[in-house]
């Protein structure tokens, strides 16, 4: 079902294009040797280059270039062997040189694609227009002094990738899925940590609305949205606002807006600047960036298995549904955990335990899979105990809970708590006899044709046996006793 906004004049389609800023994982900055670690004291990670002292020259960081190329390859994009750095000129108190070094006309990465996955299991290909490298600016701090603003230049010069999408997205859900997938790819590649709370990944959300079949209308850009939920909310709020503007006879002006998450609305920040406002020109301090084709190929060969490939493999090798596979590959650590449990075992069972009980436990305890209270080997061992009949599927839940609580091994829990499955038909028959004797009226009803009561007897017998009866044998014994 296509996403539309119902206005008084009928349905409106929403058009979205995202510009994502991703901080490159690298020990030092794009053009200086200063450190990039998050959370250091203000202005402790600033070189003379970052502070734009006169006569300082930028020197490009090879690792940052490699990271941008890896990312381009991961987005199945064209790598431009020749790219160039430009100066984007503007005044800002936290931008000491008065310009940002960026790539404008000749970015390092050209067109690529991101496959997004939607809740109904379907996928769509979203075009990536380009990826370019640029420096981050510093930070103005307005909350440190009643009358003064302070400047922290730690972030100045940190390497960013700007990843621009085509206006291919059509709903808040798709916009959210795009950021989620992009973040997943970046994390697999190890090129950006994707941490939106710390600002290492932030999105500018471009939104317009149109009637079906029309050319695109004017868009507005919502700046610096820092969570996936806010991206989705910003799309919804901004599209709804634009529909109201058009329907009241007004026109949407191209402008830059901010999303106020408290109020769930966007408000104007400034009228949109055009490229010519920045007086772009090639940075005279930097040569064009020329990449060696063999070096790019080396990077390509060293890429890890990426989410799309892993997802396809999980479907093929483990027979998982597209949905389960997508959930399991979203994070590398989850995929690795799943594979450790599934290898040599019933993979669907493994997937059910990981996406079911384990995820629920992690959510409840606020833990990540890396510090899961139940290790993959322990969960695997528990599945072995089910497979070889030591415990039944019902008791497995209790064993799992006990593993979460105590951190003990499944075998120890089964032995200490006496949870072995009972296959002794004598014991099962005794339990059946007890239940039959206690429920003469129900027995009569069953024999009188009320078949549905069969489940009641099985349940009672299981209860009598504290859940440990072998389900198949219990079924047979109940059948024998009642007929
Ligand atoms: P600029 O260079 O002015 O920022 P771009 O052409 O680079 O403009 O587009 C910036 C972003 O806006 C891209 O992600 C693009 O997909 C998106 N975009 C362009 N036109 C529209 C539109 N009509 N509606 C929604 N998004 C759009
Ligand atoms: Mg732009």
């Amino acid at each position: 079902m296509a996403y539309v906004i119902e206005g008084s004049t009928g349905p409106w389609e929403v058009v979205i294009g995202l510009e994502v800023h991703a901080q490159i994982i690298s020990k030092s900055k794009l053009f200086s040797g200063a450190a990039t670690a998050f959370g250091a004291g203000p202005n402790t990670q600033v070189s003379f280059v970052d502070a734009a002292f006169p006569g300082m020259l930028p020197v490009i960081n090879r690792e940052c270039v490699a990271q941008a190329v890896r990312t381009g390859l991961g987005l199945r994009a064209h790598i431009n062997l020749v790219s160039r750095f430009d100066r984007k000129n503007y005044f800002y108190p936290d931008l000491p040189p008065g310009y940002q070094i960026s790539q404008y006309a000749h970015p390092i990465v050209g067109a690529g694609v991101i496959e997004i996955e939607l809740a109904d299991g379907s996928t769509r290909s979203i075009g990536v227009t380009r990826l370019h490298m640029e420096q981050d600016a510093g930070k103005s701090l307005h909350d440190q002094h009643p009358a003064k603003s302070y400047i922290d230049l730690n972030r100045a010069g940190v390497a960013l990738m700007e990843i621009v999408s085509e206006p291919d997205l059509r709903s808040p859900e798709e916009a959210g899925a795009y950021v989620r997938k992009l973040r997943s790819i970046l994390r697999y590649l190890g090129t950006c940590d994707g941490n939106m709370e710390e600002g290492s990944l932030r999105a500018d959300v471009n939104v317009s609305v149109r009637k079906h079949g029309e050319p695109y209308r004017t868009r507005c850009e919502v700046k610096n949205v820092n969570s996936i939920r806010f991206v989705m909310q910003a799309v919804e709020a901004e599209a709804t606002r634009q529909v109201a503007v058009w329907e009241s006879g007004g026109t949407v002006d191209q402008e830059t807006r901010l999303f106020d998450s408290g109020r769930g609305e966007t408000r104007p920040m400034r009228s949109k600047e055009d490229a010519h406002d920045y007086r772009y020109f090639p940075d005279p301090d930097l040569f064009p960036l020329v990449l060696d084709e063999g070096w790019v190929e080396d990077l390509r060969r060293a890429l890890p298995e990426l989410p799309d490939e892993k997802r396809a493999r999980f479907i093929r090798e483990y027979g998982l549904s597209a949905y389960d596979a997508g959930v399991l590959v979203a994070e590398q650590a989850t995929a690795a955990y799943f594979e450790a449990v599934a290898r040599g075992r019933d993979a669907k069972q493994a997937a059910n335990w990981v996406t079911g009980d384990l995820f629920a436990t992690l959510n409840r305890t606020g833990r990540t899979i890396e510090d899961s209270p139940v290790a993959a080997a322990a969960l695997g061992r528990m599945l072995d105990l089910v497979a070889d009949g030591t415990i039944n599927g019902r008791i497995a839940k209790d064993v799992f809970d006990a593993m979460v609580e105590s951190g003990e091994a499944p075998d120890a829990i089964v032995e200490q708590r006496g949870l072995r499955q009972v296959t002794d038909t004598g014991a099962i028959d005794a339990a059946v006899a007890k239940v039959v004797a206690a429920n003469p009226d129900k027995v009569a009803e069953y024999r009188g044709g009320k078949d549905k009561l069969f489940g009641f007897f099985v349940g009672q017998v299981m209860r009598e046996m504290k859940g440990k009866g072998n389900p198949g044998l219990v079924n047979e014994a109940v059948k024998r006793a009642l007929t």
Side-chain angles (χ1 to χ4, degrees), residues 384-395:
D384 292 341
L385 295 178
V386 177
D388 70 13
T390 305
I391 57 174
N392 67 32
R394 156 76 196 75
I395 289 292

Side-chain angles (χ1 to χ4, degrees), residues 2-4 10-14 170 209-215 217:
Y3 175 86
V4 294
W12 292 79
E13 182 181 44
V14 182
R170 291 290 176 271
V209 296
R210 66 173 175 181
K211 292 283 182 172
H212 183 71
E214 274 184 2
R217 297 197 186 195

Side-chain angles (χ1 to χ4, degrees), residues 190-477:
T191 57
C192 170
D193 66 24
N195 194 331
M196 297 186 84
E197 298 88 73
E198 289 177 4
S200 5
L201 193 77
R202 42 195 201 264
D204 298 343
V205 183
N206 296 271
V207 180
S208 65
V209 296
R210 66 173 175 181
K211 292 283 182 172
H212 183 71
E214 274 184 2
Y216 293 145
R217 297 197 186 195
T218 306
R219 74 189 144 101
C220 286
E221 178 178 11
V222 186
K223 271 281 180 207
N224 275 333
V225 185
N226 65 357
S227 84
I228 290 176
R229 193 159 54 89
F230 291 161
V231 166
M232 297 171 67
Q233 289 173 359
V235 168
E236 174 116 43
E238 178 57 15
T240 306
R241 183 191 73 84
Q242 290 181 16
V243 166
V245 170
W246 290 120
E247 293 201 331
S248 66
T251 48
V252 170
D253 296 321
Q254 187 168 335
E255 61 184 1
T256 302
R257 303 178 67 88
L258 284 178
F259 179 60
D260 180 337
S261 57
R263 297 179 173 204
E265 62 187 31
T266 68
R267 39 189 170 73
M269 179 178 160
R270 55 172 190 248
S271 69
K272 167 75 183 171
E273 63 291 330
D274 281 314
H276 62 251
D277 295 327
Y278 288 117
R279 305 293 193 274
Y280 278 101
F281 67 88
D283 191 307
D285 290 340
L286 289 159
F287 284 113
L289 180 60
V290 180
L291 307 181
D292 177 68
E293 207 168 348
W295 184 70
V296 172
E297 283 315 306
D298 288 346
L299 293 174
R300 188 195 300 278
R301 273 192 294 276
L303 289 185
E305 181 183 41
L306 291 170
D308 287 338
E309 307 161 40
K310 210 186 267 295
R311 179 167 171 272
R313 182 168 66 78
F314 278 17
I315 294 171
R316 195 176 63 237
E317 263 177 33
Y318 297 112
L320 299 185
S321 70
Y323 180 81
D324 279 350
V327 169
L328 289 169
V329 305
E331 301 281 347
Q332 240 163 348
T334 308
Y337 186 105
F338 163 74
E339 288 208 89
V341 178
R343 207 165 290 132
R345 302 196 175 92
D346 182 334
K348 279 185 189 151
Q349 286 279 354
N352 287 343
W353 277 95
V354 173
T355 60
D357 295 65
L358 180 72
F359 277 10
T361 299
L362 296 177
N363 269 336
R364 184 167 50 77
T365 56
R367 301 226 216 172
T368 62
I369 202 151
E370 284 94 337
D371 61 358
S372 164
V374 176
L379 178 54
R381 177 64 196 148
M382 193 200 76
L383 293 185
D384 292 341
L385 295 178
V386 177
D388 70 13
T390 305
I391 57 174
N392 67 32
R394 156 76 196 75
I395 289 292
K397 300 262 178 203
D398 296 346
V399 174
F400 182 82
D401 290 343
M403 287 160 74
V404 173
E405 292 306 316
S406 68
E408 283 179 57
D411 298 79
I413 290 167
V414 170
E415 290 318 318
Q416 281 160 23
R417 308 189 187 199
L419 297 175
R420 275 177 176 277
Q421 173 164 251
V422 177
T423 49
D424 168 6
T425 47
I428 295 173
D429 285 339
V432 172
K434 210 164 160 189
V435 169
V436 166
N439 296 282
D441 43 345
K442 293 256 176 16
V443 173
E445 282 179 56
Y446 178 82
R447 289 192 172 133
K450 205 165 169 194
D451 292 347
K452 271 192 295 188
L453 280 173
F454 190 77
F456 163 81
F457 287 106
V458 171
Q460 289 298 305
V461 173
M462 272 300 198
R463 215 166 119 181
E464 183 65 31
M465 303 186 71
K466 301 200 172 61
K468 294 182 288 187
N470 173 293
L473 296 177
V474 167
N475 261 290
E476 284 170 26

Side-chain angles (χ1 to χ4, degrees), residues 42-43 46 92-96 137-142 144 148-154 156:
N43 295 308
V46 185
Y92 231 74
D94 51 28
L95 187 74
K139 228 186 235 170
S140 299
L141 308 173
H142 305 294
Q144 309 284 307
K148 294 178 179 164
S149 287
Y150 290 123
I151 305 285
D152 176 7
L153 292 180
N154 280 357

